Amino acid sequence: MSDQHGTIESHPLQQPEGVETFPPADAFRAQANVNDPGVYWRAAEDPEAYWAERARQLAWSKPFTEILDWSNPPFAKWFQDGELNVAANCLDRHVAAGLGERVAIHFEGEPGDTRTITYAELTHEVKRAANMLTSLGVSAGDRVAIYMPMIPETVVAMLAVARLGAAHSVVFGGFSAESLRARIDDAQAELVITADGGYRKGRVSALKPTVDDALALGGGGSSVRRVLVVERGGNEIAWTEGRDLWWHEEITAFDGDHSPQGFPAENPLFILYTSGTTGKPKGILHTSGGYLTQAAATHRDVFDLKPETDVYWCTADIGWITGHSYVVYGPLANGATQVMYEGTPETPDWGRWWSIIQKYGVSIFYTAPTAIRACMKVGRQVPEQYDLSSIRVLGSVGEPINPEAWRWYREVIGAGTAPIVDTWWQTETGAIMISPLPGLTTLKPGSAQVPQPGISATVVSEEGEPVGNGQGGLLVVQRPWPSMVRTIWGDDQRFIDTYWAKFGDRYFAGDGARLDEDGDVWLLGRVDDVMNVSGHRLSTAEIESALVEHHAVAESAVVGADDETTGQAVVAFVILKSQQTLLDAEDPDAAEAALKKHVAAQIGAIARPRQIFIVAELPKTRSGKIMRRLLKDAAEGKEIGDTTTLADTMVMQTISDRVRAER
Ligand code: 6R9
């Protein structure tokens, strides 16, 4: 049997047959921002010149003369002798161009309250907040932790921190006190900006008490001196005199006069923590000029953004990289008008998202496959009640989108015509790396397809040799890119070990991928999600996709569980659609048998799951990623690992009880 770790050999079963393709419509191509295929080879010929040109679309207080310094790999410096103010690029620049009256944010609170904020108003608020933060001692080089709901003040806080040349560390509002404290300690943040609470699933979910708990851990004694609290939930909270301050009380003392200072392109912009395969979270460090260049350029190109007319909506929470790059920095740098929604898609009912699209005339919609599958499960009759005709581009991010969800998304949400951009990237890459361009690419459902202009990514073998078309292996990025992670905060060695030790000066993304006959990239999931069954390499994503192709299946998660005879065995966890009648959830044996047969028929006997468990829910992180690691523990009858990052920690208990009963 071949080795267990990190390789994917090409496998005939992984070659989808008869892939349906969707060329761009002539009318779409004609109006697209990018419709000259020459862009790819021009950028490939001189990537640095390409990125310099994109960087010059930003406003620099001191223009750069040097593009890339790669003299000390893997520590890249982009545009390093240039200076800019990231917040001024997102705000003042547009106001100065006469666009102050354009709406920046259509805010929709979960209870139904709304706010319309123009670029002039947002700029004014950020200037006041910058003055307030200065009075609280924040200056260039400091770190500020932000633990907030999805409300406009979160954007204001991030931009005010950036305006001062300090770095923010946004911690997702669903994280526990322990997680928050670990992140505060690691970054040595001196200020925390939070809210009393925010709205989630029809009620107030408290935030400030978690900050209190975090700061009290270990007997107190953290780096934090002040806690600034935005009033949102109106919930009762405890108050520590001398430490806690109300945002709305403090801000009244400050006006909207604030001249943005330019900071070096490599000035830290933010730290965002992401979980590694083991141990403590990694503080991914992003800096200013290169990050903003690629966030803005990809936002414009990939979504075909027309800032004058489009209404853009990305459903990601600001606590994740997608929220940083495609709610805050990319859209605002481009002067886009966007929707920001506080709550969950099912509140008060599953029509909420579609009603928001109808209300604001959303034309570009960016969400995750897990959300699309949840909507599929509820049924198309819900979105069909709304006018979604404003939609012209759809985006997907976070995991491979299975072809069935892709087709549903295009048909039901995109009127059968909207291009879908399946965007592959990571917290570490900072911005989109692989994605179709909607005016150029003939779409293939399930594939992220093409590296962006100026990005050189490919698939290599375990030994680092390019595998060539029709073969599988490991995804690498071959040249530095502007929005790349600069280091792991405080741990250069871990940065080197995690991403660079394997292939020298090429970045190892941790994802398996395959190049099809046309050279398009198909992501196969994290390499630790790759199974080895009797020496055959199988991708979890591929079997999951096959299961979801079954008309009765809403969602599935597949793991490779250790098996005495086959090395690993396929174990699947499946949620059935609520309205399906073809499989009887009350008769799990029959349902399991039917689904096993289905997988064997779809992919081949080698992929037939050893076991299938019909479950009501899957363990997901708060960003919607299925935690297969925990399912693997359950399938192997092991003690369940750390569940603290789960949205609902009870889910795993239920599942492991189920599995135990069957063992
Ligand atoms: C942006 C974001 C990164 C990991 C990445 C990969 C998976 C993201 C994907 C995708 C297939 C896509 N991933 N987008 N896999 N197709 N379009 O999600 O960042 O939270 O850091 O996750 O997500 O496995 O390595 P992050």
Side-chain angles (χ1 to χ4, degrees), residues 274 320-322 366 396-401 422-428 434 448 509-511 523-526 623 625:
T274 182
W320 308 113
I321 190 65
T322 307
Y366 190 27
S396 173
V397 61
E399 53 175 319
I401 177 165
D422 175 1
T423 63
W424 179 90
W425 58 295
Q426 308 175 296
T427 305
E428 293 88 340
I434 303 178
D511 279 19
L523 278 309
L524 300 174
R526 303 291 302 184
S623 66
K625 284 196 171 49

Coordinates of all heavy atoms in Angstrom, one line a residue, residues 274 320-322 366 396-401 422-428 434 448 509-511 523-526 623 625, ligand 1:
T274 N -6.4 31.4 12.3 CA -7.0 30.3 11.6 C -6.5 29.0 12.2 O -5.4 29.0 12.7 CB -6.8 30.4 10.1 OG1 -7.4 29.3 9.5 CG2 -5.3 30.3 9.8
W320 N -14.3 36.3 9.4 CA -13.5 35.3 8.6 C -12.8 36.1 7.5 O -13.1 37.3 7.2 CB -14.4 34.3 8.0 CG -15.3 33.6 9.0 CD1 -16.6 33.7 9.1 CD2 -14.8 32.8 10.0 NE1 -17.1 33.0 10.2 CE2 -16.0 32.4 10.8 CE3 -13.6 32.3 10.4 CZ2 -15.9 31.6 11.9 CZ3 -13.5 31.5 11.6 CH2 -14.7 31.1 12.3
I321 N -11.8 35.5 6.9 CA -11.1 36.2 5.8 C -12.0 36.7 4.7 O -11.8 37.7 4.1 CB -9.9 35.3 5.3 CG1 -9.0 36.1 4.4 CG2 -10.5 34.1 4.5 CD1 -8.2 37.2 5.1
T322 N -13.0 35.9 4.4 CA -13.9 36.3 3.3 C -14.6 37.7 3.7 O -14.8 38.6 2.8 CB -15.0 35.3 3.0 OG1 -14.3 34.0 2.7 CG2 -15.8 35.6 1.7
Y366 N -22.5 36.5 -3.2 CA -21.3 35.6 -2.9 C -21.6 34.9 -1.6 O -21.8 35.5 -0.6 CB -20.1 36.6 -2.8 CG -18.8 35.9 -2.7 CD1 -18.5 34.7 -3.3 CD2 -17.7 36.6 -2.1 CE1 -17.2 34.2 -3.3 CE2 -16.4 36.1 -2.1 CZ -16.2 34.9 -2.7 OH -14.9 34.4 -2.6
S396 N -19.1 31.5 -5.2 CA -19.1 30.4 -4.2 C -17.7 30.4 -3.6 O -16.7 30.6 -4.3 CB -19.4 29.1 -4.9 OG -19.2 28.0 -4.0
V397 N -17.6 30.1 -2.3 CA -16.3 30.1 -1.6 C -16.3 29.2 -0.4 O -17.4 29.0 0.3 CB -15.8 31.5 -1.2 CG1 -16.8 32.1 -0.2 CG2 -14.4 31.5 -0.6
G398 N -15.2 28.6 0.0 CA -15.1 27.9 1.3 C -14.8 26.4 1.2 O -14.2 25.9 2.0
E399 N -15.3 25.8 0.1 CA -15.2 24.4 -0.1 C -15.5 24.1 -1.5 O -16.1 25.0 -2.2 CB -16.0 23.6 0.9 CG -17.5 24.0 0.9 CD -18.4 23.1 1.7 OE1 -18.2 21.9 1.7 OE2 -19.3 23.7 2.4
P400 N -15.2 22.9 -2.0 CA -15.6 22.7 -3.4 C -17.1 22.7 -3.4 O -17.8 22.2 -2.5 CB -15.1 21.2 -3.6 CG -14.1 21.0 -2.5 CD -14.5 21.8 -1.4
I401 N -17.7 23.2 -4.5 CA -19.1 23.2 -4.7 C -19.5 22.0 -5.6 O -19.0 21.8 -6.7 CB -19.7 24.5 -5.3 CG1 -21.2 24.4 -5.5 CG2 -19.0 25.0 -6.5 CD1 -21.9 25.8 -5.7
D422 N -16.6 30.1 -8.9 CA -16.2 29.2 -7.8 C -14.7 29.6 -7.4 O -13.8 29.3 -8.1 CB -16.2 27.7 -8.2 CG -15.7 26.8 -7.2 OD1 -15.4 27.2 -6.1 OD2 -15.7 25.5 -7.5
T423 N -14.6 30.3 -6.3 CA -13.4 31.0 -5.9 C -12.6 30.2 -4.9 O -13.0 30.0 -3.8 CB -13.6 32.4 -5.4 OG1 -14.4 32.3 -4.2 CG2 -14.4 33.2 -6.4
W424 N -11.4 29.7 -5.3 CA -10.5 29.1 -4.3 C -9.5 30.0 -3.8 O -8.8 30.7 -4.6 CB -9.8 27.9 -5.0 CG -8.9 27.2 -4.0 CD1 -9.2 26.2 -3.1 CD2 -7.5 27.6 -3.7 NE1 -8.1 25.9 -2.3 CE2 -7.1 26.8 -2.6 CE3 -6.6 28.6 -4.1 CZ2 -5.8 26.9 -2.0 CZ3 -5.3 28.7 -3.6 CH2 -4.9 27.8 -2.5
W425 N -9.4 30.1 -2.5 CA -8.4 30.9 -1.8 C -8.4 30.5 -0.3 O -9.1 29.6 0.1 CB -8.5 32.4 -2.1 CG -9.9 33.0 -1.7 CD1 -11.1 32.7 -2.2 CD2 -10.1 33.9 -0.6 NE1 -12.1 33.4 -1.5 CE2 -11.4 34.2 -0.6 CE3 -9.2 34.6 0.2 CZ2 -12.0 35.1 0.3 CZ3 -9.8 35.5 1.1 CH2 -11.2 35.8 1.1
Q426 N -7.6 31.2 0.5 CA -7.4 30.8 1.9 C -7.2 32.0 2.7 O -6.8 33.1 2.2 CB -6.2 29.9 2.1 CG -6.1 28.7 1.2 CD -4.8 27.9 1.4 OE1 -3.8 28.5 1.1 NE2 -4.9 26.7 1.8
T427 N -7.3 31.9 4.0 CA -6.9 33.0 4.9 C -5.5 33.4 4.6 O -5.2 34.6 4.5 CB -7.0 32.5 6.4 OG1 -8.3 32.0 6.7 CG2 -6.7 33.6 7.4
E428 N -4.7 32.4 4.3 CA -3.2 32.7 4.0 C -3.0 33.4 2.7 O -2.1 34.2 2.5 CB -2.5 31.4 4.0 CG -2.3 30.7 5.4 CD -3.5 29.7 5.6 OE1 -4.6 29.9 5.0 OE2 -3.4 28.8 6.5
I434 N -7.7 31.3 -7.4 CA -8.1 30.4 -8.6 C -9.6 30.6 -8.7 O -10.4 30.4 -7.7 CB -7.8 28.9 -8.3 CG1 -6.3 28.8 -8.1 CG2 -8.2 28.1 -9.5 CD1 -5.9 27.3 -7.7
A448 N -12.8 25.1 -9.7 CA -12.4 26.5 -9.6 C -11.6 27.0 -10.8 O -11.5 28.2 -11.0 CB -11.6 26.7 -8.3
A509 N -0.2 24.7 -0.3 CA -1.5 25.2 0.2 C -2.2 24.2 1.2 O -3.1 24.6 1.9 CB -2.4 25.5 -0.9
G510 N -1.8 22.9 1.1 CA -2.5 21.9 2.0 C -3.7 21.3 1.4 O -4.4 20.6 2.0
D511 N -3.9 21.7 0.1 CA -5.1 21.1 -0.6 C -4.6 20.2 -1.7 O -3.6 20.4 -2.4 CB -5.9 22.2 -1.3 CG -6.8 23.0 -0.4 OD1 -6.6 22.9 0.8 OD2 -7.7 23.6 -0.8
L523 N -10.4 21.2 -7.1 CA -9.9 21.0 -5.8 C -10.5 19.7 -5.2 O -11.7 19.5 -5.4 CB -10.3 22.2 -4.9 CG -9.5 23.5 -5.0 CD1 -8.0 23.1 -4.7 CD2 -9.6 24.2 -6.2
L524 N -9.7 19.0 -4.5 CA -10.1 17.7 -3.9 C -10.2 17.7 -2.4 O -10.3 16.6 -1.8 CB -9.1 16.6 -4.4 CG -9.0 16.4 -5.9 CD1 -7.9 15.4 -6.2 CD2 -10.3 16.0 -6.5
G525 N -10.1 18.8 -1.8 CA -10.2 18.9 -0.3 C -8.8 18.9 0.3 O -7.8 18.7 -0.4
R526 N -8.8 19.2 1.6 CA -7.5 19.2 2.3 C -6.8 17.8 2.1 O -7.5 16.8 2.0 CB -7.7 19.5 3.7 CG -8.5 20.8 4.0 CD -7.7 22.0 3.7 NE -6.4 22.0 4.4 CZ -5.6 23.0 4.4 NH1 -5.8 24.1 3.6 NH2 -4.5 23.0 5.0
S623 N -18.1 29.0 10.8 CA -18.1 29.5 9.5 C -18.6 28.5 8.5 O -18.6 28.7 7.3 CB -16.6 29.8 9.1 OG -15.9 28.7 9.0
K625 N -17.8 25.2 8.1 CA -17.0 24.1 7.5 C -17.3 22.9 8.4 O -17.3 22.9 9.6 CB -15.5 24.5 7.7 CG -15.1 25.4 6.6 CD -13.6 25.4 6.5 CE -13.1 26.2 5.3 NZ -13.7 27.6 5.2
Ligands
6R9_1 C1 -11.6 31.7 1.7 C2 -11.5 30.6 2.7 C3 -9.3 27.7 3.1 C4 -9.6 26.3 2.7 C5 -8.8 25.9 1.5 C6 -9.7 24.9 0.8 C7 -11.1 25.3 1.1 C8 -11.9 27.5 0.0 C9 -12.6 26.7 -1.9 C10 -12.1 25.6 -1.2 C11 -12.5 24.2 -2.9 C12 -13.1 26.4 -3.2 N1 -11.7 26.1 0.0 N2 -12.5 27.8 -1.2 N3 -12.0 24.4 -1.7 N4 -13.0 25.1 -3.7 N5 -13.7 27.4 -4.0 O1 -12.4 29.7 2.8 O2 -10.5 30.6 3.6 O3 -11.3 29.6 5.8 O4 -8.8 29.9 5.3 O5 -10.2 28.1 4.2 O6 -11.0 26.2 2.3 O7 -9.5 23.6 1.5 O8 -7.5 25.4 1.8 P1 -10.2 29.6 4.8

